[in-house]
Amino acid sequence: MGEPEATAKNTVKSTVKSTVKSTKRSAVPGWARKSTLVLVIAALALAVFGTTTQTWLTVHLDPTQLGAAVASQDGLQVQGSKAATTVTALALVALAGGLAASIAGRVARWVITAIILLAAAGIVAAAAVVLADPLAAAQGSIAAATGISGSSVQVDVTVFPVLAVVAGALLGLSALAIVPAGRYWKTRTKYDAAAAGPAGGTAAGGNAPAAPADEIDSWDRLSRGDDPT
């Protein structure tokens, strides 16, 4: 009679645990899911980076001032990476921060949030400077193409600096969500599993240890002489 009763207890316990876990998962808001937030931050950072590979400014110069390669084009094309050099680097910083947030602890998430916020602010500021004074932003490219600096020419602004400002602002808002969303993120390590193992074994009657959390924990148990199966 003892063995069937123990089996029934284990079955009931497993059912209760799975029910509680599913309830906890459903209680997490969609915006607070780790995968969702990390993907949003990564996508926005990549969007900012993508804008810097496109033409931000078109400079209309006298064809006699330009070389043959540039004269055949519709003006001098200035990419975002040249008009606002810091935006590319800040986008990569934000991307790395978003990926690091997925594995960071509570304190580290505060630091990462601050880093992404500063990067987003820098992106918005740099792109806004280009929008406010496109001629100044294009002077470096003008000097490289003509050998003349300080010239007064017509400069047209494309839509990509505006997109960089919008993506940078959304990136900052997404970074602000890391800290409140982190309260729903459960980080389980092999140390947590080791602490929970004896308790699970006692609750089941003390006859069998709890199942290992991952392969690393299985190797640790093997090194101690335990059978993880």
Side-chain angles (χ1 to χ4, degrees), residues 99-205:
L99 297 177
S102 62
I103 58 174
R106 181 177 301 177
V107 176
R109 283 196 292 265
W110 281 92
V111 177
I112 291 172
T113 299
I115 292 175
I116 298 178
L117 280 175
L118 291 175
I123 290 169
V124 173
V129 168
V130 174
L131 292 173
D133 193 357
L135 178 58
Q139 284 298 333
S141 297
I142 295 173
T146 65
I148 303 173
S149 60
S151 57
S152 179
V153 295
Q154 180 184 352
V155 180
D156 294 335
V157 182
T158 66
V159 71
F160 291 104
V162 179
L163 294 179
V165 171
V166 174
L170 293 176
L171 184 61
L173 293 176
S174 300
L176 289 176
I178 292 178
V179 174
R183 295 180 299 177
Y184 300 96
W185 297 355
K186 302 300 182 183
T187 304
R188 184 181 178 90
T189 65
K190 62 178 182 178
Y191 304 105
D192 299 329
T202 303

